[in-house]
Amino acid sequence: MKVNPIFTLGAARNGTTFLANRLINLAEVFGAHHVLHHGSYEQKLLANFKYWGDLSEPNDYLRFLHQFQIDDGFILSGLDISEFYGLRVKDFFEFYFELSDRAAQKTGKPYWTTKLDTLLYTDLKATSYFLELVLDRYDNPKFIGVKRDLEACILSYLNMEGRRFAARQSWYLKDPAIVIGVARYFAQYVWIERILKDQEGILLRFEELVAEGNPCDKVIDAYLETGVGNEATQKNIYQRNTSFLRDPSNKKGISRWSYRMARFGFSTFPFLGRWFCWVYERLKSSSYPVNTRLFKYKYYPDLLKAELKKRNAVALIKLLDIEESQLKNDQ
């Protein structure tokens, strides 16, 4: 059975999780998802690709499998690690395609979906290589983008939960946070929109995607040729606005000099935003890309809760409390 991917594209805080959750509700689409990720699981494609490097040597590949088998994305695939021992791949991209293909085939679905790592939009060499692999492997890959109003996007970023929430709200770091958010928005959408144009994808407006009556249904339905309008696909088990509890639509507009100047500068000269993002990402320390929330939730729940509290993951903690309360009631 041949399968094809559906890639969700969008800059951070633009509704990619909402769109991805929308897609995994379709009967024809496989997507790794869990409440611990607010729904659709976002595999760190570029981070994994760079961290694991060349996997063509059997010993390197076996070491990779040994560690990656506890990654949330692998656990949610529903596959067994032994299925991959005889596989030969060059790198993580090729492994991920094989993993996703097999997961979709196992569930009898013609599509699988994932969000594209936003870091791919600032590494054009890796992005080009990734797209080459996709177009060589698949007959009919799909690309769906989502774009939000800039001001709403920045407000969402400022109010996003996490350990840096307080810093983003502080008087001395709020302006740099705004500049970073605006730079990402313009730099990434230059390449997102180019990819969508080249691959004949579609770009949805976030405001229409979440509007009452689901006005984007017919657009997605026509593009994917699926029964997206079917009543059975409308149920979304995950909360809207994903990873933060505050609704930015209730906030006043951003009347700060940093927002006005960054909007003018990066919209006029998008290459400056790309350079800014390139420098910013390289100043950040690289980390081990394997995500083990599900593994810890099963075997070390107290450790996971402590880690979530440390990073101020307010919404996730609340969702876990609700789920645990429901389990106790069922028992």
Side-chain angles (χ1 to χ4, degrees):
M1 173 185 173
K2 283 191 174 182
V3 298
N4 280 286
I6 305 171
F7 297 112
T8 300
L9 294 77
R13 316 311 302 166
N14 274 261
T16 52
T17 298
F18 187 91
L19 174 56
N21 287 347
R22 179 87 176 66
L23 294 172
I24 61 178
N25 283 329
L26 302 180
E28 300 90 342
V29 180
F30 169 82
H33 62 96
H34 194 274
V35 65
L36 277 169
H37 294 282
H38 303 284
S40 178
Y41 177 63
E42 181 177 358
Q43 192 75 62
K44 299 175 183 176
L45 294 173
L46 185 60
N48 275 286
F49 173 73
K50 290 188 172 182
Y51 184 87
W52 301 112
D54 184 2
L55 295 177
S56 58
E57 287 295 323
N59 286 334
D60 293 334
Y61 178 62
L62 288 173
R63 278 193 290 269
F64 157 72
L65 288 180
H66 176 69
Q67 297 179 68
F68 192 74
Q69 64 182 319
I70 62 171
D71 179 82
D72 288 5
F74 186 82
I75 292 173
L76 293 170
S77 73
L79 301 173
D80 190 278
I81 196 66
S82 63
E83 298 178 42
F84 296 88
Y85 286 152
L87 185 65
R88 292 290 177 264
V89 296
K90 291 187 298 184
D91 50 49
F92 182 80
F93 288 158
E94 287 193 353
F95 173 83
Y96 183 72
F97 295 152
E98 189 69 28
L99 173 73
S100 301
D101 287 353
R102 294 189 185 194
Q105 289 166 348
K106 183 178 179 180
T107 54
K109 299 187 178 185
Y111 286 110
W112 57 265
T113 188
T114 190
K115 294 193 291 180
L116 283 190
D117 183 351
T118 55
L119 292 181
L120 278 169
Y121 310 133
T122 57
D123 191 323
L124 303 186
K125 184 177 180 181
T127 303
S128 297
Y129 173 65
F130 177 83
L131 290 174
E132 285 176 11
L133 291 178
V134 169
L135 298 177
D136 183 60
R137 184 182 182 101
Y138 299 103
D139 297 330
N140 191 26
K142 299 292 187 178
F143 297 81
I144 304 179
V146 58
K147 188 176 185 180
R148 192 178 198 172
D149 176 73
L150 173 61
E151 192 163 355
C153 169
I154 301 306
L155 286 168
S156 174
Y157 174 55
L158 293 176
N159 288 284
M160 180 176 65
E161 70 173 28
R163 57 186 155 211
R164 295 188 181 90
F165 169 73
R168 287 191 295 270
Q169 294 295 317
S170 64
W171 65 270
Y172 58 93
L173 287 178
K174 191 168 188 176
D175 290 314
I178 290 172
V179 172
I180 290 169
V182 175
R184 284 174 173 166
Y185 184 93
F186 284 110
Q188 292 178 2
Y189 274 110
V190 166
W191 300 109
I192 290 169
E193 292 178 14
R194 181 174 296 182
I195 291 170
L196 292 173
K197 180 180 179 181
D198 291 344
Q199 306 308 324
E200 298 182 343
I202 57 173
L203 181 64
L204 307 174
R205 293 296 307 177
F206 173 82
E207 293 75 16
E208 294 180 353
L209 184 67
V210 300
E212 293 295 329
N214 304 311
C216 289
D217 276 0
K218 291 183 179 179
V219 178
I220 299 174
D221 191 17
Y223 180 61
L224 297 181
E225 298 180 349
T226 62
V228 72
N230 190 304
E231 187 176 338
T233 69
Q234 296 299 323
K235 184 181 179 182
N236 195 329
I237 62 174
Y238 298 106
Q239 287 186 345
R240 183 175 161 179
N241 286 332
T242 59
S243 62
F244 66 102
L245 296 176
R246 305 164 188 84
D247 183 356
S249 65
N250 293 329
K251 300 283 182 179
K252 293 181 180 179
I254 307 173
S255 58
R256 296 179 74 89
W257 65 270
S258 55
Y259 174 73
R260 295 193 297 272
M261 291 191 67
R263 182 182 59 186
F264 172 77
F266 295 130
S267 63
T268 307
F269 307 104
F271 69 90
L272 289 178
R274 180 169 163 253
W275 176 84
F276 188 93
C277 292
W278 185 89
V279 172
Y280 175 73
E281 294 299 337
R282 277 148 187 78
L283 289 175
K284 294 164 63 177
S285 58
S286 58
S287 58
Y288 183 56
V290 172
N291 197 317
T292 58
R293 286 182 190 174
L294 270 68
F295 182 82
K296 290 174 181 174
Y297 187 47
K298 183 176 181 179
Y299 298 105
Y300 307 97
D302 292 338
L303 174 62
L304 175 63
K305 280 194 172 183
E307 289 178 355
L308 292 176
K309 287 179 181 178
K310 187 176 181 180
R311 65 181 291 266
N312 193 33
V314 180
L316 280 181
I317 295 170
K318 182 178 179 181
L319 288 172
L320 283 178
D321 288 342
I322 292 172
E323 189 170 84
E324 290 178 357
S325 176
Q326 289 174 342
L327 285 173
K328 288 180 180 178
N329 292 334
D330 292 340
Q331 293 172 354

